[in-house]
Amino acid sequence: MDSSYVVDTSLGINLNVNPLPLHEDKTHSFPSLKHTGGFDGDFVHFNTKLPMKQEVDVMVEELKRVSTENRKLTEMLTDICDKYNGLRSCLMEYYTSNNNNNNLGKRKVEDDSFGHTIKVNGDSDECSCKKPNKSNITTVSRVCVKTDASDRSLLLKDGYQWRKYGQKVTRDNPSPRAYYKCSFAPSCPVKKKVQRNAENPSVLVATYEGEHNHLHPLQTELTLSMKEVINPGCSSTSVISSSPTSILDCIELDCAIVKNKSVIEKEKPITTTGFA
DNA sequence: CGCCTTTGACCCGCGC
DNA sequence: GCGCGGGTCAAAGGCG
Ligand SMILES: [Zn+2]
């Protein structure tokens, strides 16, 4: 991934997520996201001497602007998900056809360029008799997230809901490995393993296995929030379920994930099989 | 009460 | 066959 795709938002978040190559000024691509106000990460600094009416006008104006920005971000996220799914299905088709052409009878582990590992079990006979309920193809992605080294917890806020079902101390790493299952959807098969890097305890390494069969909770939440902002009267309890800061945490972690896939793994080249 | 974490027991694959 | 290590289960307890 190239770091040239940076979207400035009023929240001070750099969304390094635009999949389209841009050779022009980023402000031309997202003109509505560029604004001239002094909104630099904090909320609006209201002049306390402003009359009430004017203050309300300012707030309404700000709300409209944030709503627009929110909608654009949501659209971008949806767009990116669509493109990602398209690319992934192409990749799956490629692996499937490749697998049919030369059935080697061995498990192949391939890296795509997005930090994901696609496992393809070529020996369908052996696999089907020993693990009849498992799909032949599982997506494995590894994510490095830098955290405070003094924080010994293995909590990693990525927006999804996880239920911990085990913890193990592994042989070659003094820090324990935690096992989580996605609990956002009851039927979601996704699992993740979280463990600190043996060499650098401030780096959390999360290994995701499988694919979520539901939308990202943040995406769902943003959509719902947008509906509340645009149509505030439609519900008597127009409450956004999560605090803005928790949403920001998730956005920032998503960005960190995207960045870490390219940055940390570039800084410390790690092979997908020889790590931890 | 429901959902979560904790943690010891258990299962299973793999190498010797 | 046996031991080891990674992964999972499930009972118990905590928390909001
Ligand atoms: Zn899920």
Side-chain angles (χ1 to χ4, degrees), chain A residues 126-189:
Chain A
E126 193 180 52
C127 185
S128 60
C129 66
K130 288 187 176 176
K131 296 175 180 177
N133 292 328
K134 280 203 174 178
S135 164
N136 273 5
I137 300 174
T138 52
T139 305
V140 178
S141 67
R142 211 188 59 245
V143 169
C144 304
V145 179
K146 194 163 175 59
T147 63
D148 186 0
S150 61
D151 180 14
R152 303 311 299 169
S153 77
L154 290 170
L155 280 175
L156 200 156
K157 286 188 285 182
D158 53 10
Y160 291 102
Q161 280 181 278
W162 299 98
R163 185 178 58 81
K164 190 176 183 179
Y165 67 91
Q167 178 163 317
K168 272 282 186 186
V169 177
T170 53
R171 215 167 56 92
D172 43 6
N173 194 331
S175 67
R177 175 183 297 166
Y179 300 89
Y180 297 90
K181 283 176 184 170
C182 179
S183 61
F184 189 76
S187 60
C188 183

Side-chain angles (χ1 to χ4, degrees), chain A residues 11 13 21-22 32 73 78-79 81 84 90 95 136-138 141 159-160 163 165 168 175 195 217 220 231 239 257 271:
Chain A
L11 302 173
I13 304 163
L22 302 173
S32 60
L73 288 171
T78 310
D79 189 42
C81 286
Y84 169 73
C90 287
Y95 278 121
N136 273 5
I137 300 174
T138 52
S141 67
Y160 291 102
R163 185 178 58 81
Y165 67 91
K168 272 282 186 186
S175 67
Q195 189 172 30
T220 312
N231 300 314
V239 178
I257 287 170
T271 60

Side-chain angles (χ1 to χ4, degrees), chain A residues 68-165:
Chain A
T68 310
E69 192 172 298
N70 235 343
R71 194 177 65 246
K72 288 197 173 296
L73 288 171
T74 308
E75 286 169 2
M76 283 170 62
L77 192 60
T78 310
D79 189 42
I80 289 162
C81 286
D82 287 346
K83 284 171 179 168
Y84 169 73
N85 285 332
L87 282 172
R88 197 167 47 78
S89 56
C90 287
L91 193 64
M92 291 302 172
E93 279 178 27
Y94 167 76
Y95 278 121
T96 307
S97 60
N98 213 29
N99 205 37
N100 288 339
N101 288 343
N102 48 357
N103 191 354
L104 299 175
K106 287 180 181 177
R107 174 188 286 184
K108 287 160 77 178
V109 177
E110 301 282 349
D111 262 0
D112 66 14
S113 56
F114 301 100
H116 295 78
T117 303
I118 313 293
K119 281 188 192 171
V120 180
N121 291 332
D123 194 340
S124 56
D125 289 339
E126 193 180 52
C127 185
S128 60
C129 66
K130 288 187 176 176
K131 296 175 180 177
N133 292 328
K134 280 203 174 178
S135 164
N136 273 5
I137 300 174
T138 52
T139 305
V140 178
S141 67
R142 211 188 59 245
V143 169
C144 304
V145 179
K146 194 163 175 59
T147 63
D148 186 0
S150 61
D151 180 14
R152 303 311 299 169
S153 77
L154 290 170
L155 280 175
L156 200 156
K157 286 188 285 182
D158 53 10
Y160 291 102
Q161 280 181 278
W162 299 98
R163 185 178 58 81
K164 190 176 183 179
Y165 67 91

Side-chain angles (χ1 to χ4, degrees), chain A residues 63-64 66-67 70 224-232 240:
Chain A
L63 189 62
K64 281 182 187 172
V66 172
S67 301
N70 235 343
L224 291 175
S225 302
M226 281 304 304
K227 285 178 183 168
E228 293 292 344
V229 168
I230 294 169
N231 300 314
I240 297 173

